[in-house]
Amino acid sequence: MDTILITGGAGFIGIHTSLVLLNKGYKLVIIDSLINSSYIAINRIKSTYKKTNKYPNNISFYKGDIRDISFLRKVFKDSIKLGSEINYVIHFAGLKSVSDSFLEEDKYWDVNVNGTKTLIKVMEENNCFNLIFSSSATLYSEYETSPLRENAKVNVNNPYGKTKLEVEKFLENKIKSSHPNWKIISLRYFNPIGAHSSGLFGENPNNKINNLFPLICRSITNANEELLIFGNDWPTHDGTGVRDYIHVMDLAEGHVSAVEFLNKKIIKSSFLVINLGTGKGTSVLELINIFQKVNKININYKFAERRKGDKAIIFADIRKALELLNWQPKRSIEEMCHDGWEWFLNNPFGYEK
Ligand code: NAD
Ligand code: UD1
């Protein structure tokens, strides 16, 4: 079976994707600096996986930074020594907060852009030309109308988004100007929420959360954190913002489909951009109502001003993912609310209790 390097594999999307890949029998080399995650996630995946007694040696972990070229070279060299040369890379590692990116623009550029370039260099040195990259729906221009197809115009207004756009351009150029074997898929995620149904894996909350779902959870457990709904005058059916929430396990399975797609011998050198969402929009009020119903819990909220940079409606057109990857999401918004809350209840402070 192929060996896959997962950068940022201890993080929210990385750990769920690792679980799915391990269950499929892939060998994984996970690297992570643990700047926004915990070794406990790695321990949990190891022990969950051991219980199945399937391929016990299929997972190894290295703590380190993708900007450190000698670290990356060692990881690739070790894999060769162990007889499981890395054939694919799924590149999750990066910094992801839109608001922080305004405060730490240089750092975001260094990690997300320079870190990716270092990774690509080491992949080339090791003749590894298969890459799946974590991109974002934040790239789509605010003037484009949903459902968003991959050929919609891009235009970013935040430093985080600029790093993703720069990496996409860099990767597209690789195909044109570099080794003919490069096969790259850039997956543009919409709004991943939820958690693994075991309640053992989920999003490690940091202090400065800006996203709606973890803020809903926190408003329940922390009486000081009232939930604010940013705007009730948007041009939507109930006046609140509409987004494309996707269960993180569906997103994880999308990566497996992407690996399987790259594995097909008929695929030639290519750079593909593919949306991963559900293709359905849910408003803030709808999400809150479903959350309350599914989890039998009351959420206090109040309406506030619109948030700067927000848009009324964002959801994906996912026909390309279905056509090329033969992937489509299976889990409902009810499951997202149930699983996400279960994780939060069991781990209110994330992995580190
Ligand atoms: P996350 O923060 O949970 O995971 C990212 C992981 O990368 C973390 O474990 C972190 O410790 C690690 N990391 C950060 N800098 C590193 C470095 N220099 N070297 C090695 N490891 C490093 O985030 P996530 O939600 O799992 O997102 C994964 C990827 O998907 C990111 O690239 C993010 O930009 C992208 N993305 C996320 C979302 C979302 O809503 N979660 C949406 C669109 C795109
Ligand atoms: C945000 C980022 C986007 C990033 C995405 C995934 C901004 C402007 N956009 O998008 O670039 O790709 O996260 O990480 O930061 N909401 C509230 N109250 C809250 C929080 C959010 O009403 O306290 C609303 C928002 O107005 C929006 C919806 O909930 O309508 C979802 O917000 P959020 O979870 O932040 O995701 P995005 O806005 O899609």
Side-chain angles (χ1 to χ4, degrees):
M1 203 63 167
D2 288 306
T3 301
I4 308 179
L5 173 68
I6 314 278
T7 76
F12 176 42
I13 306 171
I15 203 85
H16 291 86
T17 303
S18 297
L19 275 165
V20 181
L21 287 166
L22 283 169
N23 283 331
K24 286 260 173 183
Y26 288 99
K27 284 190 175 175
L28 302 190
V29 178
I30 297 179
I31 62 175
D32 202 300
S33 65
L34 302 180
I35 190 85
N36 197 34
S37 50
S38 162
Y39 187 71
I40 296 171
I42 299 296
N43 258 341
R44 283 191 188 172
I45 202 173
K46 282 185 172 166
S47 53
T48 303
Y49 187 61
K50 233 182 227 162
K51 278 183 208 145
T52 68
N53 274 331
K54 265 199 294 183
Y55 333 104
N57 300 319
N58 274 8
I59 177 168
S60 53
F61 175 74
Y62 293 80
K63 184 178 174 200
D65 197 301
I66 51 163
R67 292 166 294 175
D68 179 350
I69 197 159
S70 39
F71 165 68
L72 289 181
R73 284 180 174 143
K74 180 179 165 16
V75 171
F76 273 86
K77 204 169 269 166
D78 280 2
S79 301
I80 294 169
K81 267 194 225 151
L82 293 168
S84 34
E85 199 174 333
I86 293 167
N87 322 101
Y88 295 86
V89 175
I90 307 183
H91 179 32
F92 295 105
L95 301 174
K96 66 166 177 176
S97 160
V98 172
S99 57
D100 283 355
S101 74
F102 284 99
L103 307 172
E104 299 182 299
E105 208 167 330
D106 291 349
K107 190 170 158 196
Y108 267 68
W109 194 267
D110 195 36
V111 173
N112 292 2
V113 179
N114 297 341
T116 303
K117 288 183 179 174
T118 307
L119 173 69
I120 295 295
K121 185 171 164 45
V122 178
M123 285 178 70
E124 285 182 324
E125 287 171 6
N126 286 278
N127 292 318
C128 174
F129 296 107
N130 297 307
L131 176 74
I132 293 163
F133 172 64
S134 295
S135 189
S136 169
T138 196
L139 260 56
Y140 291 115
S141 161
E142 58 191 297
Y143 301 110
E144 292 286 321
T145 308
S146 292
L148 294 160
R149 294 209 73 167
E150 289 82 351
N151 60 5
K153 279 204 184 77
V154 294
N155 180 34
V156 276
N157 56 10
N158 63 77
Y160 163 73
K162 284 183 186 154
T163 66
K164 292 290 178 190
L165 186 56
E166 175 67 19
V167 171
E168 281 202 0
K169 282 188 197 151
F170 172 76
L171 295 176
E172 191 170 11
N173 271 332
K174 274 276 143 213
I175 300 296
K176 291 181 193 149
S177 61
S178 184
H179 198 281
N181 289 352
W182 269 111
K183 291 194 259 176
I184 302 173
I185 301 182
S186 183
L187 296 174
R188 290 187 183 158
Y189 311 149
F190 280 67
N191 294 62
I193 61 170
H196 190 253
S197 57
S198 63
L200 289 172
F201 304 95
E203 185 164 22
N204 213 26
N206 64 32
N207 290 327
K208 290 182 279 174
I209 303 173
N210 299 304
N211 294 122
L212 179 62
F213 192 84
L215 286 169
I216 290 179
C217 296
R218 275 235 298 244
S219 74
I220 301 167
T221 53
N222 186 347
N224 299 324
E225 289 193 48
E226 190 176 23
L227 183 67
L228 300 178
I229 297 185
F230 298 140
N232 60 354
D233 56 354
W234 292 101
T236 61
H237 62 282
D238 62 14
T240 66
V242 168
R243 293 292 183 275
D244 188 339
Y245 299 98
I246 173 168
H247 196 296
V248 67
M249 287 302 289
D250 278 327
L251 195 67
E253 287 165 8
H255 291 76
V256 180
S257 303
V259 171
E260 285 166 357
F261 176 80
L262 290 183
N263 205 358
K264 288 184 191 157
K265 297 284 172 273
I266 44 158
I267 306 301
K268 295 206 174 73
S269 176
S270 54
F271 172 76
L272 291 168
V273 171
I274 302 180
N275 288 336
L276 292 185
T278 61
K280 292 183 207 109
T282 304
S283 76
V284 176
L285 276 177
E286 281 170 341
L287 185 70
I288 292 174
N289 286 333
I290 294 168
F291 190 106
Q292 295 187 125
K293 198 167 159 201
V294 166
N295 296 312
K296 299 183 179 52
I297 209 154
N298 189 46
I299 296 165
N300 292 316
Y301 60 82
K302 72 175 184 207
F303 291 109
E305 292 292 294
R306 289 182 180 187
R307 178 173 66 178
K308 195 169 158 253
D310 262 353
K311 240 189 109 175
I313 302 176
I314 303 176
F315 63 93
D317 182 318
I318 57 167
R319 280 176 291 175
K320 194 168 174 185
L322 180 61
E323 252 168 55
L324 293 183
L325 308 184
N326 195 23
W327 168 90
Q328 58 184 331
K330 300 195 281 273
R331 295 161 182 88
S332 65
I333 197 100
E334 282 78 6
E335 279 170 280
M336 300 179 211
C337 289
H338 174 271
D339 296 345
W341 175 236
E342 186 78 8
W343 154 257
F344 193 87
L345 263 184
N346 288 334
N347 309 268
F349 307 106
Y351 292 99
E352 316 272 347
K353 287 209 170 154

